[in-house]
Amino acid sequence: MIDILCVENDFIASYVLEKQIERLGYRLIGKVATGEAAIEQAMELKPDLVLMDINLDGKMDGLEAAQCLTTDFNIPVVFITARQDAELRRKAMLIEPVAYLNKPVQLKALRNAVETIYPNVRMKRILLVEDDYIISMLLEKQIRRMGYEIAGKAESGEKAIDLTREEKPDLVLMDIELKGDIDGIETVRRIREFSIVPVIYLTGNANEKTRMEAEETNPDGFLVKPVDMDVLKQQIREIVEKNTVT
């Protein structure tokens, strides 16, 4: 997990960066609007990377703050700015940032900048198998907030099998009652023929027969809806961080 501190004094730009960081699967650990606060937060939170606007509130601009972070604390910095100024860029590059990005920052450019210094970091990927649209959206939002990537979404067992084979997720969240001809338990039985990917069942049907049938597929979790999100997040972290499917 890559921890990022965002230093941006424009509310809208800060919000956009926050959403981009979340979408890329990184973790936003702080947002500040001044160079002074950036240094203070960096000392306390020890981010892996700082996104630094150049025009900031306070007495210290982004160049001065970045110089301090890179020289005194060895924290990588990516500059972000709306100014089209060759002299400003020249001064910024003397600080040896990871990248110098112009606003509006493109998602691909931000990803490339991060991967410049963290090339071997791969986001853990979760396959979401759920036929209820609202529940699926809520789960997807939680998964992304945790810093994981959605490997795919399926409403049927048949689609889930195909996606597991193609995408090789690190974890499958599996509803039991699905659209199509096979339920979640039968889906996992068929997945087990070619993959040992961890599975957490999510179901509104908690009767003993269903639970026993599910246990025969050796799942890593069995949660009853409405799902306690804190419990789900804990299980996901425990499973995903110790397993990598190849």
mmCIF file of all heavy atoms in Angstrom, residues 102-132:
data_model
loop_
_atom_site.group_PDB
_atom_site.id
_atom_site.type_symbol
_atom_site.label_atom_id
_atom_site.label_comp_id
_atom_site.label_asym_id
_atom_site.label_seq_id
_atom_site.Cartn_x
_atom_site.Cartn_y
_atom_site.Cartn_z
ATOM 1 N N ASN A 102 1.190 18.926 -14.990
ATOM 2 C CA ASN A 102 0.325 20.091 -15.164
ATOM 3 C C ASN A 102 -1.129 19.730 -14.877
ATOM 4 O O ASN A 102 -1.586 18.628 -15.180
ATOM 5 C CB ASN A 102 0.441 20.639 -16.586
ATOM 6 C CG ASN A 102 1.782 21.299 -16.850
ATOM 7 O OD1 ASN A 102 2.585 20.828 -17.645
ATOM 8 N ND2 ASN A 102 2.037 22.406 -16.171
ATOM 9 N N LYS A 103 -1.840 20.680 -14.289
ATOM 10 C CA LYS A 103 -3.272 20.504 -14.056
ATOM 11 C C LYS A 103 -4.035 20.774 -15.348
ATOM 12 O O LYS A 103 -3.614 21.618 -16.139
ATOM 13 C CB LYS A 103 -3.760 21.471 -12.973
ATOM 14 C CG LYS A 103 -3.129 21.268 -11.611
ATOM 15 C CD LYS A 103 -3.671 22.317 -10.641
ATOM 16 C CE LYS A 103 -3.025 22.214 -9.284
ATOM 17 N NZ LYS A 103 -3.506 23.258 -8.354
ATOM 18 N N PRO A 104 -5.163 20.104 -15.550
ATOM 19 C CA PRO A 104 -5.697 19.040 -14.693
ATOM 20 C C PRO A 104 -4.863 17.768 -14.819
ATOM 21 O O PRO A 104 -4.504 17.369 -15.930
ATOM 22 C CB PRO A 104 -7.115 18.840 -15.230
ATOM 23 C CG PRO A 104 -7.026 19.257 -16.666
ATOM 24 C CD PRO A 104 -6.042 20.386 -16.704
ATOM 25 N N VAL A 105 -4.559 17.153 -13.695
ATOM 26 C CA VAL A 105 -3.700 15.972 -13.681
ATOM 27 C C VAL A 105 -4.450 14.780 -14.264
ATOM 28 O O VAL A 105 -5.567 14.467 -13.844
ATOM 29 C CB VAL A 105 -3.238 15.652 -12.242
ATOM 30 C CG1 VAL A 105 -2.425 14.367 -12.219
ATOM 31 C CG2 VAL A 105 -2.419 16.811 -11.687
ATOM 32 N N GLN A 106 -3.829 14.129 -15.234
ATOM 33 C CA GLN A 106 -4.425 12.946 -15.849
ATOM 34 C C GLN A 106 -4.135 11.709 -15.002
ATOM 35 O O GLN A 106 -3.040 11.567 -14.447
ATOM 36 C CB GLN A 106 -3.878 12.749 -17.263
ATOM 37 C CG GLN A 106 -4.148 13.915 -18.202
ATOM 38 C CD GLN A 106 -5.631 14.170 -18.381
ATOM 39 O OE1 GLN A 106 -6.403 13.258 -18.685
ATOM 40 N NE2 GLN A 106 -6.050 15.416 -18.189
ATOM 41 N N LEU A 107 -5.116 10.829 -14.912
ATOM 42 C CA LEU A 107 -4.980 9.632 -14.082
ATOM 43 C C LEU A 107 -3.771 8.802 -14.500
ATOM 44 O O LEU A 107 -2.991 8.340 -13.656
ATOM 45 C CB LEU A 107 -6.259 8.790 -14.180
ATOM 46 C CG LEU A 107 -6.389 7.642 -13.179
ATOM 47 C CD1 LEU A 107 -6.576 8.184 -11.771
ATOM 48 C CD2 LEU A 107 -7.567 6.746 -13.552
ATOM 49 N N LYS A 108 -3.593 8.616 -15.789
ATOM 50 C CA LYS A 108 -2.473 7.814 -16.283
ATOM 51 C C LYS A 108 -1.143 8.453 -15.918
ATOM 52 O O LYS A 108 -0.189 7.757 -15.548
ATOM 53 C CB LYS A 108 -2.578 7.645 -17.797
ATOM 54 C CG LYS A 108 -1.487 6.761 -18.389
ATOM 55 C CD LYS A 108 -1.678 6.580 -19.886
ATOM 56 C CE LYS A 108 -0.586 5.688 -20.477
ATOM 57 N NZ LYS A 108 -0.773 5.513 -21.944
ATOM 58 N N ALA A 109 -1.064 9.777 -16.000
ATOM 59 C CA ALA A 109 0.175 10.475 -15.663
ATOM 60 C C ALA A 109 0.507 10.307 -14.185
ATOM 61 O O ALA A 109 1.675 10.125 -13.812
ATOM 62 C CB ALA A 109 0.051 11.952 -16.013
ATOM 63 N N LEU A 110 -0.516 10.357 -13.341
ATOM 64 C CA LEU A 110 -0.296 10.179 -11.911
ATOM 65 C C LEU A 110 0.173 8.758 -11.615
ATOM 66 O O LEU A 110 1.109 8.544 -10.836
ATOM 67 C CB LEU A 110 -1.581 10.485 -11.145
ATOM 68 C CG LEU A 110 -1.513 10.356 -9.619
ATOM 69 C CD1 LEU A 110 -0.412 11.233 -9.045
ATOM 70 C CD2 LEU A 110 -2.864 10.717 -9.001
ATOM 71 N N ARG A 111 -0.465 7.775 -12.237
ATOM 72 C CA ARG A 111 -0.048 6.387 -12.047
ATOM 73 C C ARG A 111 1.399 6.189 -12.501
ATOM 74 O O ARG A 111 2.202 5.558 -11.803
ATOM 75 C CB ARG A 111 -0.956 5.436 -12.817
ATOM 76 C CG ARG A 111 -0.533 3.966 -12.667
ATOM 77 C CD ARG A 111 -1.190 3.059 -13.676
ATOM 78 N NE ARG A 111 -2.603 2.890 -13.417
ATOM 79 C CZ ARG A 111 -3.561 3.290 -14.231
ATOM 80 N NH1 ARG A 111 -3.252 3.927 -15.358
ATOM 81 N NH2 ARG A 111 -4.817 3.082 -13.947
ATOM 82 N N ASN A 112 1.737 6.737 -13.657
ATOM 83 C CA ASN A 112 3.099 6.589 -14.171
ATOM 84 C C ASN A 112 4.124 7.216 -13.229
ATOM 85 O O ASN A 112 5.225 6.683 -13.045
ATOM 86 C CB ASN A 112 3.213 7.221 -15.555
ATOM 87 C CG ASN A 112 2.479 6.428 -16.622
ATOM 88 O OD1 ASN A 112 2.153 5.260 -16.421
ATOM 89 N ND2 ASN A 112 2.205 7.054 -17.747
ATOM 90 N N ALA A 113 3.757 8.349 -12.639
ATOM 91 C CA ALA A 113 4.667 9.020 -11.710
ATOM 92 C C ALA A 113 4.930 8.149 -10.489
ATOM 93 O O ALA A 113 6.077 7.985 -10.056
ATOM 94 C CB ALA A 113 4.084 10.366 -11.290
ATOM 95 N N VAL A 114 3.870 7.574 -9.939
ATOM 96 C CA VAL A 114 4.025 6.718 -8.758
ATOM 97 C C VAL A 114 4.841 5.477 -9.101
ATOM 98 O O VAL A 114 5.738 5.068 -8.347
ATOM 99 C CB VAL A 114 2.651 6.319 -8.191
ATOM 100 C CG1 VAL A 114 2.816 5.324 -7.044
ATOM 101 C CG2 VAL A 114 1.889 7.550 -7.711
ATOM 102 N N GLU A 115 4.561 4.883 -10.250
ATOM 103 C CA GLU A 115 5.258 3.656 -10.632
ATOM 104 C C GLU A 115 6.717 3.902 -11.000
ATOM 105 O O GLU A 115 7.503 2.956 -11.076
ATOM 106 C CB GLU A 115 4.519 2.973 -11.780
ATOM 107 C CG GLU A 115 3.164 2.412 -11.351
ATOM 108 C CD GLU A 115 2.419 1.714 -12.467
ATOM 109 O OE1 GLU A 115 2.889 1.790 -13.629
ATOM 110 O OE2 GLU A 115 1.376 1.101 -12.184
ATOM 111 N N THR A 116 7.084 5.166 -11.205
ATOM 112 C CA THR A 116 8.486 5.494 -11.456
ATOM 113 C C THR A 116 9.353 5.117 -10.264
ATOM 114 O O THR A 116 10.473 4.626 -10.413
ATOM 115 C CB THR A 116 8.641 7.006 -11.740
ATOM 116 O OG1 THR A 116 7.916 7.330 -12.922
ATOM 117 C CG2 THR A 116 10.103 7.378 -11.928
ATOM 118 N N ILE A 117 8.829 5.335 -9.060
ATOM 119 C CA ILE A 117 9.616 5.026 -7.860
ATOM 120 C C ILE A 117 9.142 3.766 -7.142
ATOM 121 O O ILE A 117 9.863 3.222 -6.313
ATOM 122 C CB ILE A 117 9.611 6.207 -6.870
ATOM 123 C CG1 ILE A 117 8.185 6.698 -6.624
ATOM 124 C CG2 ILE A 117 10.490 7.328 -7.362
ATOM 125 C CD1 ILE A 117 8.092 7.730 -5.534
ATOM 126 N N TYR A 118 7.934 3.311 -7.464
ATOM 127 C CA TYR A 118 7.427 2.076 -6.857
ATOM 128 C C TYR A 118 6.966 1.130 -7.968
ATOM 129 O O TYR A 118 5.779 0.806 -8.079
ATOM 130 C CB TYR A 118 6.274 2.380 -5.899
ATOM 131 C CG TYR A 118 6.683 3.245 -4.733
ATOM 132 C CD1 TYR A 118 6.252 4.565 -4.638
ATOM 133 C CD2 TYR A 118 7.515 2.755 -3.738
ATOM 134 C CE1 TYR A 118 6.640 5.369 -3.572
ATOM 135 C CE2 TYR A 118 7.909 3.546 -2.669
ATOM 136 C CZ TYR A 118 7.464 4.850 -2.596
ATOM 137 O OH TYR A 118 7.851 5.643 -1.545
ATOM 138 N N PRO A 119 7.905 0.656 -8.792
ATOM 139 C CA PRO A 119 7.524 -0.142 -9.967
ATOM 140 C C PRO A 119 6.990 -1.528 -9.637
ATOM 141 O O PRO A 119 6.296 -2.133 -10.452
ATOM 142 C CB PRO A 119 8.834 -0.245 -10.761
ATOM 143 C CG PRO A 119 9.903 -0.121 -9.721
ATOM 144 C CD PRO A 119 9.363 0.852 -8.711
ATOM 145 N N ASN A 120 7.308 -2.040 -8.462
ATOM 146 C CA ASN A 120 6.929 -3.416 -8.143
ATOM 147 C C ASN A 120 5.684 -3.515 -7.273
ATOM 148 O O ASN A 120 5.325 -4.597 -6.812
ATOM 149 C CB ASN A 120 8.093 -4.128 -7.441
ATOM 150 C CG ASN A 120 9.309 -4.239 -8.338
ATOM 151 O OD1 ASN A 120 9.182 -4.508 -9.524
ATOM 152 N ND2 ASN A 120 10.485 -4.007 -7.780
ATOM 153 N N VAL A 121 5.060 -2.378 -7.025
ATOM 154 C CA VAL A 121 3.852 -2.394 -6.200
ATOM 155 C C VAL A 121 2.648 -2.716 -7.076
ATOM 156 O O VAL A 121 2.329 -1.989 -8.007
ATOM 157 C CB VAL A 121 3.633 -1.035 -5.507
ATOM 158 C CG1 VAL A 121 2.292 -1.030 -4.779
ATOM 159 C CG2 VAL A 121 4.761 -0.770 -4.526
ATOM 160 N N ARG A 122 2.015 -3.832 -6.790
ATOM 161 C CA ARG A 122 0.810 -4.206 -7.528
ATOM 162 C C ARG A 122 -0.367 -4.195 -6.572
ATOM 163 O O ARG A 122 -0.328 -4.807 -5.511
ATOM 164 C CB ARG A 122 0.939 -5.605 -8.136
ATOM 165 C CG ARG A 122 -0.286 -6.010 -8.962
ATOM 166 C CD ARG A 122 -0.153 -7.412 -9.514
ATOM 167 N NE ARG A 122 -0.377 -8.438 -8.517
ATOM 168 C CZ ARG A 122 -1.581 -8.877 -8.148
ATOM 169 N NH1 ARG A 122 -2.669 -8.349 -8.660
ATOM 170 N NH2 ARG A 122 -1.708 -9.830 -7.245
ATOM 171 N N MET A 123 -1.392 -3.475 -6.947
ATOM 172 C CA MET A 123 -2.587 -3.455 -6.113
ATOM 173 C C MET A 123 -3.211 -4.839 -6.052
ATOM 174 O O MET A 123 -3.286 -5.539 -7.062
ATOM 175 C CB MET A 123 -3.614 -2.472 -6.682
ATOM 176 C CG MET A 123 -3.291 -1.023 -6.461
ATOM 177 S SD MET A 123 -4.653 0.025 -7.012
ATOM 178 C CE MET A 123 -4.569 -0.206 -8.772
ATOM 179 N N LYS A 124 -3.627 -5.238 -4.868
ATOM 180 C CA LYS A 124 -4.365 -6.484 -4.737
ATOM 181 C C LYS A 124 -5.748 -6.287 -5.358
ATOM 182 O O LYS A 124 -6.364 -5.237 -5.227
ATOM 183 C CB LYS A 124 -4.472 -6.882 -3.269
ATOM 184 C CG LYS A 124 -3.115 -7.151 -2.613
ATOM 185 C CD LYS A 124 -2.377 -8.284 -3.302
ATOM 186 C CE LYS A 124 -1.016 -8.533 -2.676
ATOM 187 N NZ LYS A 124 -1.094 -9.125 -1.347
ATOM 188 N N ARG A 125 -6.230 -7.332 -6.037
ATOM 189 C CA ARG A 125 -7.422 -7.206 -6.864
ATOM 190 C C ARG A 125 -8.519 -8.142 -6.364
ATOM 191 O O ARG A 125 -8.271 -9.318 -6.105
ATOM 192 C CB ARG A 125 -7.062 -7.497 -8.322
ATOM 193 C CG ARG A 125 -5.919 -6.622 -8.806
ATOM 194 C CD ARG A 125 -5.321 -7.077 -10.129
ATOM 195 N NE ARG A 125 -6.236 -6.845 -11.220
ATOM 196 C CZ ARG A 125 -6.809 -7.799 -11.924
ATOM 197 N NH1 ARG A 125 -6.570 -9.071 -11.649
ATOM 198 N NH2 ARG A 125 -7.627 -7.511 -12.907
ATOM 199 N N ILE A 126 -9.726 -7.610 -6.259
ATOM 200 C CA ILE A 126 -10.855 -8.357 -5.706
ATOM 201 C C ILE A 126 -11.971 -8.472 -6.746
ATOM 202 O O ILE A 126 -12.362 -7.476 -7.362
ATOM 203 C CB ILE A 126 -11.383 -7.675 -4.432
ATOM 204 C CG1 ILE A 126 -10.290 -7.688 -3.351
ATOM 205 C CG2 ILE A 126 -12.645 -8.366 -3.927
ATOM 206 C CD1 ILE A 126 -10.668 -6.950 -2.089
ATOM 207 N N LEU A 127 -12.450 -9.698 -6.928
ATOM 208 C CA LEU A 127 -13.583 -9.948 -7.817
ATOM 209 C C LEU A 127 -14.862 -9.898 -6.990
ATOM 210 O O LEU A 127 -14.976 -10.577 -5.964
ATOM 211 C CB LEU A 127 -13.440 -11.315 -8.488
ATOM 212 C CG LEU A 127 -14.615 -11.772 -9.365
ATOM 213 C CD1 LEU A 127 -14.834 -10.822 -10.527
ATOM 214 C CD2 LEU A 127 -14.380 -13.192 -9.863
ATOM 215 N N LEU A 128 -15.806 -9.103 -7.439
ATOM 216 C CA LEU A 128 -17.060 -8.907 -6.719
ATOM 217 C C LEU A 128 -18.195 -9.608 -7.469
ATOM 218 O O LEU A 128 -18.508 -9.253 -8.608
ATOM 219 C CB LEU A 128 -17.339 -7.410 -6.600
ATOM 220 C CG LEU A 128 -18.600 -6.957 -5.875
ATOM 221 C CD1 LEU A 128 -18.681 -7.560 -4.482
ATOM 222 C CD2 LEU A 128 -18.628 -5.441 -5.805
ATOM 223 N N VAL A 129 -18.785 -10.611 -6.826
ATOM 224 C CA VAL A 129 -19.869 -11.379 -7.450
ATOM 225 C C VAL A 129 -21.140 -11.136 -6.635
ATOM 226 O O VAL A 129 -21.312 -11.682 -5.541
ATOM 227 C CB VAL A 129 -19.534 -12.886 -7.498
ATOM 228 C CG1 VAL A 129 -20.604 -13.626 -8.304
ATOM 229 C CG2 VAL A 129 -18.149 -13.119 -8.085
ATOM 230 N N GLU A 130 -22.006 -10.293 -7.157
ATOM 231 C CA GLU A 130 -23.202 -9.856 -6.428
ATOM 232 C C GLU A 130 -24.254 -9.416 -7.442
ATOM 233 O O GLU A 130 -23.968 -8.610 -8.322
ATOM 234 C CB GLU A 130 -22.833 -8.695 -5.497
ATOM 235 C CG GLU A 130 -23.986 -7.978 -4.853
ATOM 236 C CD GLU A 130 -24.818 -8.869 -3.963
ATOM 237 O OE1 GLU A 130 -24.284 -9.369 -2.951
ATOM 238 O OE2 GLU A 130 -26.008 -9.077 -4.297
ATOM 239 N N ASP A 131 -25.483 -9.948 -7.313
ATOM 240 C CA ASP A 131 -26.508 -9.620 -8.304
ATOM 241 C C ASP A 131 -27.391 -8.443 -7.899
ATOM 242 O O ASP A 131 -28.208 -7.986 -8.691
ATOM 243 C CB ASP A 131 -27.372 -10.845 -8.618
ATOM 244 C CG ASP A 131 -28.223 -11.278 -7.434
ATOM 245 O OD1 ASP A 131 -27.889 -10.900 -6.294
ATOM 246 O OD2 ASP A 131 -29.213 -12.004 -7.646
ATOM 247 N N ASP A 132 -27.217 -7.937 -6.681
ATOM 248 C CA ASP A 132 -27.980 -6.768 -6.250
ATOM 249 C C ASP A 132 -27.164 -5.510 -6.552
ATOM 250 O O ASP A 132 -26.064 -5.334 -6.018
ATOM 251 C CB ASP A 132 -28.283 -6.858 -4.751
ATOM 252 C CG ASP A 132 -29.164 -5.714 -4.271
ATOM 253 O OD1 ASP A 132 -28.673 -4.564 -4.221
ATOM 254 O OD2 ASP A 132 -30.337 -5.963 -3.935
#
